[in-house]
Amino acid sequence: MSETHQPSAELKALERLVGTWAVTGGAEGTVTYEWMEGGFFLLQRVALTQFGQPVTGLEVIGNLRPFGEPVGADVVSRFYDSAGNTLDYVYELTGDTLTIWGGAKGSPAYYRGTFSADGTTVTGEWVYPGGGGYPSTMTRV
């Protein structure tokens, strides 16, 4: 009989993202978060315009659990876009602060945003190494 496990508390905390959000700032459009059946993965569907280019894709967010190995500690994701790119991230929610690391946790490329008290907005910015980045706000629709 296989062992029973549950989605991690860190993943469950991302429940606050479930729903559809209007995105403004350096990228404009909508993103929608929904749980995959079973609750072990959060799916994000993206329909944005960034730097004048469409960005559409699907992100799968959860804890890695390779065959025969223990569940990974970090909440990681892979984003697949319509241009064939794959991008990896690490999600971390501490209190009302959401950090999305580009690549590995602690990366110099990241998004850091803060949930409003009523949970209807997340306001922050993307930071890139060597400068750049842009403000980004999500508003629940």
Side-chain angles (χ1 to χ4, degrees):
M1 187 170 188
S2 67
E3 67 180 86
T4 302
H5 72 285
Q6 297 294 318
S8 71
E10 293 80 8
L11 178 62
K12 286 181 181 179
L14 297 180
E15 170 70 25
R16 296 170 79 175
L17 292 170
V18 171
T20 300
W21 301 81
V23 177
T24 57
E28 306 271 334
T30 60
V31 297
T32 302
Y33 291 90
E34 64 182 299
W35 290 110
M36 191 172 104
E37 187 174 331
F40 287 96
F41 297 99
L42 187 62
L43 306 177
Q44 180 187 196
R45 297 183 193 284
V46 174
L48 300 172
T49 300
Q50 183 179 30
F51 309 120
Q53 300 297 312
V55 178
T56 58
L58 173 69
E59 184 175 21
V60 179
I61 305 161
N63 297 86
L64 294 180
R65 186 178 175 216
F67 184 73
E69 296 182 26
V71 176
D74 290 335
V75 175
V76 300
S77 76
R78 176 158 285 170
F79 177 72
Y80 304 87
D81 77 13
S82 59
N85 297 303
T86 58
L87 304 171
D88 294 331
Y89 298 94
V90 175
Y91 277 67
E92 184 177 50
L93 181 60
T94 305
D96 289 331
T97 302
L98 174 66
T99 304
I100 304 170
W101 305 100
K105 190 173 183 177
S107 163
Y110 61 90
Y111 171 82
R112 184 162 291 134
T114 304
F115 279 89
S116 61
D118 64 4
T120 60
T121 61
V122 182
T123 304
E125 69 177 299
W126 282 97
V127 175
Y128 296 142
Y134 57 87
S136 183
T137 298
M138 296 193 318
T139 304
R140 191 178 293 279
V141 294

